[in-house]
Amino acid sequence: MNSSGQSTHPSLREESLQHEDPMLLGPWEIGVHPPGLTYRIPAISLPYGSRVWLSGDNGAGKTVFLERVLLPRLAAMGRQVFLVAQDLLLQAHVMAAVLASRGQRAPRCLDDLVMAWCAPARPNSILLLDEADRHLSPRTIHQLLELPLAFVVAVSHQGRPCTTTHCFTICRHETLVHLEIGP
Amino acid sequence: MPTSLPTLELDPTTLTVTPNLGNEILLFARNPEAVAVALHQWAQDFGLVLDLQRPLSTYSGGEQVLLVAGLWAILLQKHPQVIVDLRRAVSTLSATNRTRLHHALTQALPQATILLEEEQVQQGEPSSRGDLSP
Amino acid sequence: MKGTAKLLLLSSLVVLYFGLGVVGPWYADVPFQGSIAALCVLLRLQTSGWRGLRTDLAFLLPFLCTLVAMGALLDAFAMANRTDWTEDALCKALVFPNSFWSIQLAVGALRLTDLVALPRGVRRFFILTHALVSKSRPLIERLWWLVCHDPSLQTGPWIIRSGRRLTVLLAAALIAVYHETEATVRVYDARMALLEENPS
């Protein structure tokens, strides 16, 4: 998919080379209302191609972190962000309609639908997987993690996906949420 | 598996009929006040702050499962001959909460058959807690 | 007032308004429509405050302004040899919010406690309708959030991007509401069957 994209669109190759720099996150102190949480994220530099496993207890604020902290900031950096949301079965309707608007036939199988939806991702794109392993097969998760993308974050309660390079944990104390290294 | 028993299936995509637990209690409980009090206690045991009028969708995925499982554990307390099918719901729970929910359900519904992931854990049989973790 | 009596009263009021003011003799009666509009605004303020009213107006005003502008435009071109396009559009601009608010206020006034008290034969229908109406708005808001953050719908001029987003939202919402209806009915029936098999 992306390799063919590179061969047909040389500009994408140039773009990817420009973006093969580390991913810089933080330092951020961000209040999210509702639910009234404050995120303290330290300055982190992750190498190009990092695959991050994000864990944390129920209600720690992982989804809020992905959707309300990380996604807007990555988008503000000019990154193209593909979010596979926790309510993937609902998002699948959007994915199917998006594929139809591109003139493509939407696959009936959810795994194929997600792969087809992610197909336009470029080497400088970012993929956020919010408990996608609840709905997708391990093979598809593996394929998504193997896509040639700048940065992938996978939230999961099923254990660390084997292809991840970093582990972070979201920890919450009352309304203060911070990111810790390691599970 | 005793398939003739009534089954409570918790599907994390549609856990409730109504948008909040207050309405769910009104809909299904014969004694709403008592159920509300018991559910507050259940939530407290899991370290959750329960607001019955808060839309369930604003809780995290795992918290939703814990609260709805609690509601039905209370509603079915006097009628424990049920199968509680958590196979689709447990993937939303952290390893700690899986163990805690299993423990809480075995306390609340001692005669119930609880289905967790691919295996079946029945009361009275030695349960392998280790298998509850991912 | 609770249960069947409340449901009947609210339904009668809505039917009465539609009978007289939408398909009946007072459709073009501006004092009547104006009074109903004022009453609806007051009730809306009472039930949802300024915030609720602002949300309603944000939804209604673009549509109403377009309606009146279209009326004026058709008048300017004397379409179909008619000169009452603007007047008709102004009538519709009163009737539409009145219809919208009368249904919204009636549905909002119904509580689940009223529906639970209904006779068994009609209870299931009204409970499921109430549940789905309550669930639909958050569902569509969530879909809109997903649509707005979809990377394939981020590019292009504002007008094209917005048009594509609205099209995707419409298609996704139709299927999603259908699925939600199906799932809610299934869960309701399963839970009721469970309680009936385990009567307390």
Side-chain angles (χ1 to χ4, degrees):
Chain A
M1 176 194 60
N2 276 20
S3 57
S4 66
Q6 283 176 18
S7 61
T8 50
H9 301 289
S11 60
L12 292 183
R13 174 99 185 119
E14 287 168 22
E15 201 175 0
S16 74
L17 287 171
Q18 282 171 12
H19 288 81
E20 281 190 12
D21 44 6
M23 174 66 59
L24 300 170
L25 305 176
W28 298 325
E29 176 151 338
I30 300 153
V32 184
H33 301 277
L37 299 177
T38 302
Y39 284 81
R40 253 183 220 157
I41 309 298
I44 303 168
S45 171
L46 293 161
Y48 177 87
S50 292
R51 296 320 186 229
V52 174
W53 173 43
L54 190 64
S55 62
D57 210 352
N58 296 119
K62 302 179 293 297
T63 297
V64 175
F65 174 67
L66 286 191
E67 294 190 357
R68 310 269 297 275
V69 176
L70 197 55
L71 191 151
R73 267 138 204 94
L74 294 172
M77 289 175 197
R79 299 283 189 161
Q80 186 188 41
V81 186
F82 286 78
L83 168 74
V84 177
Q86 194 177 41
D87 44 358
L88 177 56
L89 296 184
L90 183 67
Q91 193 189 13
H93 305 311
V94 175
M95 290 177 174
V98 164
L99 287 178
S101 78
R102 285 190 214 147
Q104 288 174 252
R105 195 182 175 86
R108 291 183 72 87
C109 166
L110 188 61
D111 295 72
D112 296 340
L113 178 70
V114 173
M115 291 307 294
W117 178 74
C118 287
R122 302 188 293 258
N124 65 332
S125 300
I126 288 161
L127 177 63
L128 308 177
L129 302 169
D130 192 357
E131 296 187 24
D133 51 1
R134 277 170 47 194
H135 308 284
L136 303 176
S137 68
R139 186 168 166 267
T140 306
I141 295 293
H142 182 75
Q143 284 175 338
L144 288 168
L145 288 169
E146 290 289 300
L147 287 174
L149 305 174
F151 184 48
V152 181
V153 181
V155 169
S156 173
H157 287 300
Q158 314 299 311
R160 180 181 176 174
C162 56
T163 42
T164 49
T165 55
H166 299 72
C167 298
F168 292 117
T169 305
I170 289 274
C171 296
R172 177 176 164 185
H173 301 290
E174 303 292 332
T175 58
L176 188 65
V177 184
H178 61 274
L179 201 59
E180 284 182 0
I181 295 170
Chain B
M1 188 173 77
T3 50
S4 59
L5 290 179
T7 303
L8 169 71
E9 188 189 353
L10 293 185
D11 178 351
T13 58
T14 313
L15 284 164
T16 57
V17 173
T18 61
N20 63 52
L21 288 165
N23 278 353
E24 208 71 1
I25 289 173
L26 279 178
L27 195 54
F28 294 117
R30 295 217 167 172
N31 186 351
E33 290 80 16
V35 173
V37 169
L39 190 57
H40 271 102
Q41 184 58 51
W42 174 282
Q44 209 176 339
D45 292 346
F46 280 92
L48 304 176
V49 179
L50 178 65
D51 175 357
L52 291 173
Q53 297 312 312
R54 180 177 159 186
L56 193 66
S57 58
T58 62
Y59 287 96
S60 85
E63 288 174 338
Q64 291 177 34
V65 168
L66 292 174
L67 291 172
V68 175
L71 171 64
W72 283 92
I74 295 159
L75 290 175
L76 297 171
Q77 214 149 26
K78 290 177 187 163
H79 314 281
Q81 288 296 324
V82 289
I83 298 170
V84 182
D85 187 349
L86 294 173
R87 286 176 298 178
R88 298 183 72 181
V90 285
S91 57
T92 63
L93 298 176
S94 66
T96 316
N97 278 334
R98 280 178 212 197
T99 313
R100 291 173 71 194
L101 178 61
H102 179 221
H103 180 70
L105 285 174
T106 56
Q107 298 286 312
L109 304 169
Q111 298 301 313
T113 303
I114 301 167
L115 302 180
L116 295 149
E117 301 190 62
E118 296 308 314
E119 66 162 4
Q120 172 188 331
V121 180
Q122 190 159 12
Q123 296 314 300
E125 289 178 5
S127 70
S128 48
R129 289 282 168 83
D131 292 341
L132 297 171
S133 36
Chain C
M1 192 183 290
K2 277 180 80 173
T4 313
K6 189 174 179 181
L7 181 69
L8 282 175
L9 177 71
L10 290 168
S11 312
S12 306
L13 286 174
V14 173
V15 169
L16 189 69
Y17 170 67
F18 273 75
L20 292 174
V22 180
V23 293
W26 293 343
Y27 168 75
D29 190 323
V30 175
F32 170 74
Q33 298 290 359
S35 310
I36 296 289
L39 182 67
C40 286
V41 167
L42 279 176
L43 288 172
R44 193 75 182 113
L45 271 174
Q46 199 186 14
T47 53
S48 307
W50 283 106
R51 196 176 168 185
L53 189 64
R54 267 203 310 271
T55 312
D56 290 353
L57 291 176
F59 168 73
L60 290 168
L61 280 178
F63 174 72
L64 300 182
C65 291
T66 313
L67 192 72
V68 175
M70 281 298 290
L73 194 71
L74 293 173
D75 251 351
F77 288 100
M79 288 293 283
N81 289 326
R82 276 176 59 183
T83 54
D84 62 343
W85 286 108
T86 310
E87 197 185 318
D88 188 43
L90 284 169
C91 272
K92 285 190 170 67
L94 272 176
V95 172
F96 180 73
N98 285 350
S99 318
F100 171 80
W101 273 320
S102 60
I103 293 174
Q104 192 189 44
L105 286 165
V107 170
L110 278 174
R111 296 273 174 269
L112 199 72
T113 39
D114 301 315
L115 304 178
V116 172
L118 288 176
R120 194 184 170 88
V122 291
R123 193 171 56 199
R124 179 177 180 272
F125 170 78
F126 281 104
I127 285 173
L128 286 171
T129 306
H130 187 271
L132 287 165
V133 169
S134 317
K135 280 179 167 181
S136 292
R137 189 170 179 160
L139 183 82
I140 289 168
E141 282 172 356
R142 176 64 179 162
L143 282 172
W144 182 239
W145 188 91
L146 290 166
V147 165
C148 289
H149 290 86
D150 194 293
S152 301
L153 304 172
Q154 304 279 348
T155 52
W158 178 83
I159 187 82
I160 304 286
R161 195 170 66 231
S162 304
R164 282 188 69 206
R165 282 179 178 176
L166 284 171
T167 313
V168 166
L169 175 72
L170 189 65
L174 279 173
I175 312 168
V177 170
Y178 174 80
H179 277 262
E180 188 61 43
T181 306
E182 216 176 36
T184 303
V185 170
R186 194 179 60 241
V187 170
Y188 176 80
D189 288 342
R191 301 286 195 262
M192 289 309 280
L194 188 65
L195 290 176
E196 277 162 17
E197 284 178 65
N198 290 275
S200 52

